[in-house]
């Protein structure tokens, strides 16, 4: 699943491809969205914004499309004519004269009035976004010591979008390693310096990953963005079980925590 940095790449890509140009074709596979196909034609996308792992596609008629890809959804950025049959139709198809993008499989696709978005149940629950330039480390030092987060294990907490929006599985391993914290510690057990290290790592690792994005040819689909991240961002511990820790003579180990693979160095992380 794309994490915060990859969701931001997708938003950047959709903005480059589609924003500011009149839409020549709009298709939705969900019956409740069909009525928007005609009314959006001729209007333009004003901005595509990543919020955590959700994407908000704003239109110049006061509507915003909310999409969340979850595990399997992906964007195809190639200009293809959408199939006519309802079964083959992507969840979302948006085209201008020069470009097109299609969202496949995503389980969450909803149209909202832009002015009502603050009431969206998923968006309203999101914690500070690790890639929002306005968010600072102080937002997280206080948060990790506060209810309801302080008693949760860090391995669990760092996947929870209500704690830190945009976090995901590779970021969890890399953030804990950067902060030198063991995954089964809880927020309440952290001293002031440890809480600061965690807060700094949450922002630094995510922002470094985002900045490391592809320099070469752009992928044809968002499925390739995670593979790109693995190549360009260079994980220190994630998927490096059995390799030497970059900081000590110990070996990286893998454990399943909160049902996901977590990689860490038991020597460096305390
Ligand atoms: Zn180590």
């Amino acid at each position: 699943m794309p994490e915060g940095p990859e969701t931001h790449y997708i938003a950047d890509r959709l903005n480059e491809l589609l924003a500011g140009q009149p839409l020549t074709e709009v298709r939705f596979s969900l019956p409740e969205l069909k009525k928007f196909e005609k009314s959006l034609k001729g209007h333009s996308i004003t901005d595509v914004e990543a919020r955590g792992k959700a994407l908000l596609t704003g239109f110049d008629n006061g509507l915003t499309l909310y999409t969340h890809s979850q595990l399997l959804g992906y964007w195809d950025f190639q200009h293809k004519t959408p199939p006519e049959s309802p079964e083959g139709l992507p969840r979302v198809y948006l085209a201008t004269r020069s470009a097109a993008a299609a969202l496949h499989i995503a389980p969450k696709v909803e149209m909202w009035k832009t002015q009502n978005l603050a009431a969206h149940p998923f968006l309203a629950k999101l914690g500070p976004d690790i890639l929002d330039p306005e968010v600072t480390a102080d937002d997280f030092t206080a948060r990790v010591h506060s209810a309801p987060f302080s008693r949760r294990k860090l391995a669990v907490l760092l996947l929870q979008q209500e704690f830190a929006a945009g976090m995901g599985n590779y970021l969890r391993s890399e953030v804990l390693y950067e902060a030198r914290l063991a995954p089964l510690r809880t927020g309440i057990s952290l001293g002031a310096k440890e809480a600061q290290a965690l807060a700094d790592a949450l922002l630094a690792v995510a922002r470094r990953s985002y900045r490391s994005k592809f320099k070469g040819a752009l992928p044809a689909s968002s499925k390739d963005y995670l593979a790109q991240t693995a190549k360009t961002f260079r994980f220190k511990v994630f998927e490096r079980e059995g390799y030497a820790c970059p900081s000590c003579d110990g070996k990286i180990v893998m454990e399943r925590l909160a049902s996901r693979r977590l990689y860490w160095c038991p020597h460096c992380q305390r």
Side-chain angles (χ1 to χ4, degrees), residues 120-142:
H120 190 287
F122 177 81
L123 298 176
K125 270 198 320 202
L126 285 181
D129 193 311
I130 48 178
L131 285 158
D132 179 344
E134 309 270 302
V135 169
T136 67
D138 289 346
D139 293 318
F140 289 108
T141 47

Side-chain angles (χ1 to χ4, degrees):
M1 184 205 284
E3 304 182 18
E6 294 75 37
T7 309
H8 277 258
Y9 305 161
I10 297 168
D12 293 348
R13 185 75 177 277
L14 291 172
N15 272 316
E16 284 161 20
L17 284 175
L18 299 175
Q21 303 288 330
L23 292 162
T24 52
E25 181 82 47
V26 177
R27 305 283 295 277
F28 298 108
S29 65
L30 292 172
E32 64 268 31
L33 296 183
K34 286 279 178 204
K35 62 181 173 197
F36 297 108
E37 291 181 339
K38 258 197 189 142
S39 61
L40 281 170
K41 224 168 147 177
H43 283 279
S44 300
I45 291 170
T46 52
D47 182 43
V48 183
E49 185 195 343
R51 196 88 67 82
K53 293 184 263 189
L55 278 178
L56 302 176
T57 302
F59 301 99
D60 65 3
N61 65 347
L63 293 175
T64 293
L65 183 71
Y66 168 93
T67 54
H68 197 302
S69 297
Q70 297 190 350
L71 276 181
L72 297 174
Y74 67 95
W75 284 91
D76 182 344
F77 304 116
Q78 298 172 89
H79 203 322
K80 292 182 206 147
T81 310
E84 286 304 318
S85 74
E87 307 84 63
L89 195 63
R91 286 297 170 121
V92 178
Y93 177 86
L94 301 167
T96 65
R97 265 179 45 171
S98 56
L103 174 63
H104 296 274
I105 308 175
K108 287 277 176 201
V109 179
E110 300 165 357
M111 193 67 78
W112 283 69
K113 283 189 179 153
T114 305
Q115 60 188 24
N116 295 342
L117 268 179
H120 190 287
F122 177 81
L123 298 176
K125 270 198 320 202
L126 285 181
D129 193 311
I130 48 178
L131 285 158
D132 179 344
E134 309 270 302
V135 169
T136 67
D138 289 346
D139 293 318
F140 289 108
T141 47
R143 203 165 174 81
V144 77
H145 282 141
S146 70
F149 305 116
S150 65
R151 294 185 185 277
R152 294 182 190 164
K153 294 185 173 64
L154 297 180
V156 175
L157 190 62
L158 293 193
L159 292 178
Q160 290 180 328
Q161 301 303 297
E162 59 267 41
F163 175 68
M167 278 298 295
N169 203 41
Y170 82 77
L171 288 172
R172 173 178 74 156
S173 291
E174 296 292 318
V175 165
L176 286 173
Y177 178 74
E178 175 121 337
R180 297 294 190 264
L181 292 170
L184 295 182
R185 294 282 300 276
T186 55
I188 208 165
S189 79
L190 301 183
K193 275 195 177 153
E194 291 174 320
Q196 186 69 47
L198 178 66
D200 289 342
L202 275 167
L203 299 184
V205 172
R207 290 169 188 189
R208 211 159 59 222
S209 173
Y210 175 61
R211 281 198 307 268
S212 77
K213 72 175 171 178
F214 50 87
K215 306 273 186 306
L218 291 170
S221 137
S222 66
K223 279 186 193 172
D224 303 330
Y225 278 63
L226 264 180
Q228 293 260 6
T229 298
K231 272 190 224 146
T232 56
F233 173 57
R234 294 203 187 93
F235 300 129
K236 295 200 170 86
V237 292
F238 188 72
E239 293 185 336
R240 295 191 57 78
E241 184 181 16
Y243 285 92
C245 164
S247 316
C248 76
D249 293 332
K251 285 206 162 107
I252 306 299
V253 300
M254 190 274 278
E255 287 181 60
R256 281 203 170 263
L257 292 171
S259 314
R260 311 284 305 273
R261 293 170 295 144
L262 187 143
Y263 298 81
W264 67 297
C265 174
H267 179 76
C268 293
Q269 293 175 245
R270 299 296 174 112

